[in-house]
Amino acid sequence: MAAITVQNISLTASLTPSFAAASSGGDYFANNGKIFLYIKNANVGAPRTVTINSQVNCNYGHDHNIEVTVPASSEELVGFFSTDRFNDVSGRVQITYSSEADLTVAAISVG
């Protein structure tokens, strides 16, 4: 599992995001509740599923992870991640991938 560096964007600071290669054991980022993931799948033949791990079960006892399917040769954005639902005990969001091949991610904070 590898750390993804959170990049900041605001009205006064534009951003050209840099992307990190997805790690085979998953990744994580420090979460302030104003972060979204920018996911790129460069594989031309297969979609990739990205799972954002929910840390807290709902009132009915179910774990509602977020799963995003990124089609082949495509990009997706997902977020924001509430701190009470997605942060682990270290204040980080954990992400796993169906396959990390040809997949890159960027964590971007707004504000």
Side-chain angles (χ1 to χ4, degrees):
M1 209 169 233
I4 299 172
T5 301
V6 175
Q7 303 165 69
N8 296 304
I9 188 171
S10 69
L11 288 174
T12 58
S14 62
L15 175 69
T16 301
S18 58
F19 290 83
S23 300
S24 62
D27 293 308
Y28 61 87
F29 61 88
N31 183 36
N32 64 9
K34 296 188 264 181
I35 296 175
F36 65 91
L37 281 179
Y38 189 163
I39 309 158
K40 289 184 175 184
N41 179 8
N43 189 287
V44 296
R48 302 287 188 245
T49 300
V50 177
T51 303
I52 297 93
N53 187 12
S54 172
Q55 300 294 318
V56 178
N57 290 347
C58 74
N59 292 340
Y60 298 103
H62 298 284
D63 185 5
H64 298 281
N65 294 333
I66 295 175
E67 290 188 351
V68 178
T69 300
V70 184
S73 301
S74 190
E75 303 173 7
E76 296 287 333
L77 296 130
V78 61
F80 299 113
F81 305 100
S82 64
T83 57
D84 59 341
R85 179 175 168 197
F86 291 98
N87 283 16
D88 63 14
V89 295
S90 299
R92 305 180 300 199
V93 172
Q94 299 178 14
I95 312 158
T96 56
Y97 314 102
S98 60
S99 172
E100 72 282 356
D102 303 314
L103 196 68
T104 57
V105 293
I108 301 171
S109 180
V110 179

